[in-house]
Amino acid sequence: MPPASSSKSAGAGSTSTLVADKATGWHLLRVKDYSATKEHGVGNYIKSGPFTVGGHSWSIAYYPDGDEKKTADYIRFSLFLEPPFPNNGVKAQFKLSLLDQAGKPVPRYTMNFDMHRYTNKGPDWGCSSFIGRKDLELMYVKDDCFRIRCDLTVVMDIRSVTASVESPRVPPSDLHHHLSGLFTSKVGADVTFYVGEEQYRAHKVVLAMRSTVFMAELFGPMKENTETGVRIDDMESRVFEAMLHFIYTDTLPAIDEGDKMLMAQHLLVAADRYNLERLKLICEDMLGGYINLEIVATTLVLAEQHSCQGLKEACFKFLKAPGNLNAVMESDGYQHLKTSCPSLVEDLLAMVAPFVCSRPTPKKPRLKQ
């Protein structure tokens, strides 16, 4: 037996559609002095003025005495294509409507004609017995006048449109909205954290899913006894709450502009502690925008202690700028850097020394003799 087909093997698909470009228009023929048009002769017609639809000229033919003897008591209307005639002719369809005194089409005397190809060799196209002369004169001729409307549709071109077949559009994931609701409602929360004077209810499985440290603490061989709650030391409650918010939503909560730098520093430490790599990178990026002469040294210490290579390189780049290194080396922050991370000072000097040495040494002024 052949293997069963699967949706994965179906491949990409496409569709093509034949589309006919069309032009539409209408023309109103008003027959004034109707009585004067009678006795014009069987088979003889009177043409309307020409009108243009789809780039071609057309006219309506009015046969007051019909087009042959057997229909001599009927009035015929037909449509003519006027020259010049295209080589392949013109495809068109039309509708003829007798209008009542209010200008509305009379349903009984409204006729739709199928698509027809007009050429220089073909006859006009219409209806030999559109309306009996007696009926017209009795009900629709007023003040020796009546009106006929022609609605015309001309086929301009037939083309093929190809399009790829796409799967139904899938909306973006809203998982974070559901987890945010879970974090807010605390439904099913099974662990309590005590941070300072605050307490926070959370879900073990969510924490373990996001953090290998929480996984080990809550479900590992050395898991803590959480029946009485878990005490978190060395972390401010607002920092722990912001970290929980990130764990559930993958985003940071709103932080006041003046507090962003300090929160980023604390959250970076928390992210490193609980192995939240994405949060750590977000904090690195935030702190990279705050580097200046006052905090670059302490930022370097933070980057070194928590293995933030990107933040470290951003600090080095800042120190390469003319004058920045000398200014920092005279600051209290540099003394803290030397004390906390002496190896970092060696890395710093090794990185910026080539840059500093490459600068031209200013020449001493020559003394006049």
Side-chain angles (χ1 to χ4, degrees):
M1 291 179 60
S5 62
S6 67
S7 59
K8 291 184 178 180
S9 63
S14 63
T15 64
S16 63
T17 304
L18 297 179
V19 179
D21 294 327
K22 299 177 181 178
T24 59
W26 58 272
H27 183 75
L28 184 65
L29 172 61
R30 185 168 180 245
V31 179
K32 192 176 181 181
D33 299 324
Y34 160 71
S35 57
T37 66
K38 295 193 294 183
E39 306 300 331
H40 193 65
V42 174
N44 296 326
Y45 58 81
I46 305 168
K47 278 190 177 183
S48 71
F51 57 96
T52 301
V53 177
H56 301 283
S57 183
W58 308 84
S59 62
I60 301 171
Y62 162 47
Y63 294 76
D65 300 312
D67 60 341
E68 53 185 356
K69 289 185 179 180
K70 64 180 180 180
T71 57
D73 293 331
Y74 289 86
I75 294 176
R76 171 184 169 90
F77 289 97
S78 60
L79 183 68
F80 270 95
L81 173 65
E82 299 291 337
F85 302 104
N87 292 334
N88 296 325
V90 180
K91 291 183 68 175
Q93 63 184 46
F94 66 101
K95 177 176 69 174
L96 288 177
S97 305
L98 174 67
L99 303 185
D100 60 18
Q101 299 305 317
K104 301 292 182 63
V106 178
R108 182 180 176 183
Y109 298 111
T110 295
M111 295 188 179
N112 290 287
F113 295 86
D114 294 336
M115 191 70 66
H116 177 70
R117 185 177 294 276
Y118 291 82
T119 66
N120 61 337
K121 298 180 181 180
D124 57 332
W125 192 251
C127 178
S128 296
S129 54
F130 182 78
I131 185 172
R133 187 180 292 105
K134 290 183 179 180
D135 289 342
L136 177 69
E137 294 173 356
L138 180 63
M139 294 184 290
Y140 302 107
V141 174
K142 184 177 182 181
D143 298 328
D144 207 26
C145 176
F146 71 93
R147 292 171 294 176
I148 293 288
R149 171 170 168 150
C150 174
D151 290 273
L152 178 60
T153 299
V154 178
V155 177
M156 307 289 292
D157 186 26
I158 299 178
R159 54 192 174 87
S160 176
V161 179
T162 301
S164 60
V165 178
E166 298 181 357
S167 300
R169 186 177 179 182
V170 180
S173 171
D174 59 353
L175 177 62
H176 60 290
H177 291 304
H178 294 286
L179 289 173
S180 178
L182 193 65
F183 174 58
T184 303
S185 68
K186 311 301 181 186
V187 173
D190 53 0
V191 62
T192 303
F193 292 92
Y194 297 93
V195 188
E197 297 181 357
E198 303 293 334
Q199 63 181 41
Y200 300 94
R201 297 281 292 163
H203 305 79
K204 292 181 184 179
V205 67
V206 175
L207 302 181
M209 175 184 69
R210 299 280 279 156
S211 164
T212 56
V213 175
F214 276 126
M215 175 68 82
E217 291 181 351
L218 299 175
F219 295 102
M222 303 297 292
K223 63 181 180 182
E224 298 184 13
N225 182 1
T226 60
E227 292 182 1
T228 58
V230 179
R231 167 65 60 180
I232 302 294
D233 296 318
D234 303 325
M235 186 181 298
E236 294 183 16
S237 58
R238 63 186 187 128
V239 176
F240 185 79
E241 184 175 2
M243 184 183 73
L244 279 184
H245 184 280
F246 179 85
I247 287 174
Y248 278 84
T249 68
D250 213 36
T251 62
L252 289 177
I255 304 173
D256 293 337
E257 188 62 39
D259 201 29
K260 280 187 177 180
M261 185 187 73
L262 187 60
M263 277 294 287
Q265 291 174 337
H266 288 297
L267 278 172
L268 187 147
V269 175
D272 189 42
R273 175 175 174 176
Y274 287 98
N275 196 23
L276 298 168
E277 191 62 27
R278 186 169 184 274
L279 176 58
K280 185 177 172 182
L281 290 173
I282 290 173
C283 294
E284 283 191 63
D285 185 63
M286 290 174 62
L287 290 173
Y290 289 99
I291 296 174
N292 57 41
L293 289 173
E294 294 181 1
I295 69 164
V296 64
T298 55
T299 302
L300 258 177
V301 174
L302 187 69
E304 179 70 8
Q305 291 176 340
H306 298 282
S307 303
C308 302
Q309 187 61 30
L311 184 58
K312 185 176 175 180
E313 291 176 358
C315 292
F316 284 167
K317 182 178 179 180
F318 174 82
L319 291 171
K320 287 179 182 179
N324 284 354
L325 179 61
N326 290 336
V328 170
M329 291 178 71
E330 295 174 1
S331 68
D332 294 337
Y334 184 71
Q335 299 305 316
H336 172 64
L337 175 63
K338 289 171 60 178
T339 304
S340 304
C341 305
S343 61
L344 186 58
V345 176
E346 296 178 7
D347 293 341
L348 172 62
L349 294 176
M351 180 165 289
V352 301
F355 180 78
V356 175
C357 294
S358 65
R359 297 176 191 161
T361 304
K363 296 182 179 179
K364 294 181 179 181
R366 296 179 61 183
L367 298 176
K368 294 183 180 181
Q369 300 295 328

